[in-house]
């Protein structure tokens, strides 16, 4: 399959959500051009041949490839693939999936459901790219009822040809105002699709960090490295005069962190923005979400730590605004959030967004008057984030049954 024929994750996710809303029993009624194109190999079938059985087989293959556990079980209930749930109305399927995670239906809809359906879409894209879907974990038992088992002959070939109309068009690298809903109130957030060092006139930029608060070298391409590089003060010849962001973060660590020890995941350390002040950036909040894995160059990031860090970001904004008021300075109002943990931390963009949005939504729902921005660099990831943000606007907590 050539790169121009690869299915877009956002388009796949949109159709998976359509299946969740309608259920497997109504596949015949749905228009699913991407999943239909993926469910048969080139030249297979005839133009008038029904494809919905193959689409169901494709979905079962993707869900089984998740590898068991609560994620797979929730996916099976959400889509009506679990034994005995095929004809359940969407509200009942959502309620049962929420029970898998032990949360309320509303909380599941706003948080875990995005992660669950996003993982199904991830597996579908893996199948479409010709990569093997993630194998089931060793020793992992399939959920009760054997719903994760794919019937003989139901494993479809993945189409190498997708209709051009089925592929979402990439967003232009720019700024996009997207309506969202939090606590029953309509709001807007801004999605930036460019490098972090191009941001302008945003009070606070959140930078992902490890729990040792050690910044990467400035020549690297990560968000943290880019902010360090852009915040450095240089002479007219480009020579480094002051590594401002690194120096301030090191001073914070020396003051508040125990020597030689890491901080707790979810800790947020504030610093100035250095030379980025010329671009209207006032503060950088370093969110410690990545825990170094001993003996490797890898990190572990837990979604709960991402949510905890973003919650702390809002608390720190309020604290610094109190001090700003006492000093007669203008308040901090706008902040920009990347997808924390979605780089070397290993989280998928969907999981990272769900973890970040859980804290953002809670803050906005309680009346927080903040101008919230999201930042991604790649247009294809922007499509996914735009879809996830748009899904918060006016989506009902429960749908009526068929």
């Amino acid at each position: 399959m050539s790169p121009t024929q690869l299915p877009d994750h956002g388009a796949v996710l949109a159709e998976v959500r359509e299946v969740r809303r309608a259920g497997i029993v109504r596949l015949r009624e749905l228009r699913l051009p991407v999943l239909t194109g993926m469910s048969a190999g080139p030249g297979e079938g005839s133009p008038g041949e029904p494809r919905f059985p193959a689409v169901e087989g494709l979905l079962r293959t993707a869900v089984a490839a998740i590898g068991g556990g609560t994620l797979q079980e929730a996916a099976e209930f959400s889509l009506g693939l679990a034994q005995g749930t095929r004809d359940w109305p969407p509200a009942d399927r959502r309620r049962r999936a929420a029970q898998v995670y032990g949360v309320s239906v509303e909380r599941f809809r706003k948080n875990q459901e995005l992660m669950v359906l996003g993982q199904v879409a991830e597996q579908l894209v893996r199948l479409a790219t010709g990569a093997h879907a993630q194998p089931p974990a060793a020793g992992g038992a399939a959920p009760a009822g054997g719903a994760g088992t794919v019937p003989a002959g139901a494993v479809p070939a993945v189409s190498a040809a997708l209709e051009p109309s089925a592929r979402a068009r990439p967003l232009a690298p720019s700024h996009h105002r997207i309506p969202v809903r939090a606590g029953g109130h309509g709001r807007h957030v801004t999605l930036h699709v460019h490098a972090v060092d191009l941001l302008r006139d945003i009070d606070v930029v959140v930078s992902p960090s490890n729990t040792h608060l050690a910044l990467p070298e400035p020549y690297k391409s990560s968000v943290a490295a880019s902010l360090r590089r852009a915040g450095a003060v240089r002479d007219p010849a480009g020579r480094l005069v002051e590594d401002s962001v690194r120096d301030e973060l090191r001073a914070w660590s020396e003051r508040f962190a125990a020597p030689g020890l890491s901080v707790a995941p979810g800790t947020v350390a504030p610093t100035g923005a250095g030379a980025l002040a010329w671009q209207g950036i006032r503060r950088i909040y370093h969110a410690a979400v990545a825990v170094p894995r001993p003996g490797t160059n890898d990190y572990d990031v837990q979604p709960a730590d991402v949510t905890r860090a973003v919650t702390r970001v809002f608390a720190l904004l309020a604290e610094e605004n109190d001090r700003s008021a006492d000093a007669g300075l203008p308040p901090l109002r706008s902040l920009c959030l990347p997808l924390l943990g979605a780089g070397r931390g290993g989280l998928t963009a969907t999981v990272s967004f769900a973890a970040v949005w859980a804290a953002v939504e809670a803050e906005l729902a309680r009346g927080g008057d903040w101008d919230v921005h999201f930042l991604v660099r790649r247009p294809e990831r922007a499509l996914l984030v735009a879809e996830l943000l748009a899904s918060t606007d006016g989506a009902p907590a429960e749908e009526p049954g068929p």
Side-chain angles (χ1 to χ4, degrees), residues 103-163:
V103 298
S104 68
V105 173
E106 183 68 5
R107 182 171 182 83
F108 177 79
R109 180 184 71 84
K110 295 178 178 178
N111 298 286
Q112 286 87 354
E113 188 171 89
L114 292 174
M115 173 184 69
V116 170
L117 299 183
Q119 283 299 298
V120 175
E122 289 279 355
Q123 295 300 333
L124 288 166
V125 171
R126 283 174 179 269
L127 289 169
T129 58
H132 293 294
Q134 293 177 350
T149 303
V150 182
V155 180
V158 179
S159 174
L162 290 178
E163 302 173 24

Side-chain angles (χ1 to χ4, degrees), residues 266-323:
T267 298
V268 178
T271 68
L276 282 168
W278 294 102
Q279 298 175 202
I281 310 299
R282 296 170 60 187
R283 303 288 280 166
I284 298 175
Y285 285 0
H286 304 266
V289 295
V291 180
R293 194 179 300 167
T296 72
N297 292 322
D298 300 324
Y299 296 90
D300 291 315
V301 177
Q302 298 300 320
D305 293 333
V306 172
T307 303
R308 189 176 300 112
V310 178
T311 301
R312 175 57 187 154
V313 163
F314 287 112
L316 189 57
L317 275 168
E319 293 170 11
E320 294 209 319
N321 276 344
D322 288 341
R323 291 193 288 270

Side-chain angles (χ1 to χ4, degrees), residues 58-236:
L58 177 65
L59 289 168
R60 288 188 180 277
T61 302
V63 171
I66 290 175
T70 55
L71 187 61
Q72 179 175 329
E73 188 176 1
E76 289 167 345
F77 282 118
S78 294
L79 298 174
L81 298 175
Q83 186 176 26
T85 64
R86 187 180 185 86
D87 61 344
W88 284 15
D92 291 348
R93 287 187 275 109
R94 176 177 276 162
R95 184 178 299 107
R96 184 62 184 86
Q99 291 174 1
V100 172
Y101 281 95
V103 298
S104 68
V105 173
E106 183 68 5
R107 182 171 182 83
F108 177 79
R109 180 184 71 84
K110 295 178 178 178
N111 298 286
Q112 286 87 354
E113 188 171 89
L114 292 174
M115 173 184 69
V116 170
L117 299 183
Q119 283 299 298
V120 175
E122 289 279 355
Q123 295 300 333
L124 288 166
V125 171
R126 283 174 179 269
L127 289 169
T129 58
H132 293 294
Q134 293 177 350
T149 303
V150 182
V155 180
V158 179
S159 174
L162 290 178
E163 302 173 24
S165 60
R167 297 194 300 270
R169 291 176 295 176
L171 294 171
S174 184
H175 309 81
H176 306 271
R177 291 279 287 173
I178 300 175
V180 299
R181 185 162 293 274
H185 303 289
R187 302 287 294 269
H188 283 80
V189 302
T190 302
L191 175 61
H192 298 255
V193 193
H194 54 66
V196 67
D197 51 2
L198 297 179
L199 289 171
R200 297 290 189 276
D201 300 319
I202 293 177
D203 295 327
V204 176
V205 178
V206 178
S207 176
S209 180
N210 57 61
T211 52
H212 290 278
L213 297 176
L215 290 177
E217 293 301 321
Y219 57 79
K220 295 189 174 181
S221 61
S222 66
V223 170
S226 298
L227 288 171
R228 176 183 177 181
R229 180 172 60 250
V233 177
R234 299 180 181 275
D235 66 15

Side-chain angles (χ1 to χ4, degrees), residues 290-370:
V291 180
R293 194 179 300 167
T296 72
N297 292 322
D298 300 324
Y299 296 90
D300 291 315
V301 177
Q302 298 300 320
D305 293 333
V306 172
T307 303
R308 189 176 300 112
V310 178
T311 301
R312 175 57 187 154
V313 163
F314 287 112
L316 189 57
L317 275 168
E319 293 170 11
E320 294 209 319
N321 276 344
D322 288 341
R323 291 193 288 270
S324 295
D326 293 340
L329 298 174
L332 303 169
R333 289 298 183 195
S334 56
L335 75 153
C336 187
L337 294 153
L339 294 181
L340 298 172
R344 290 184 61 196
L347 297 183
T348 66
T350 306
V351 172
S352 172
F353 174 85
V356 172
W357 179 251
V360 172
E361 183 185 39
E363 177 65 20
L364 297 180
R366 63 186 291 268
D369 187 22
W370 310 108

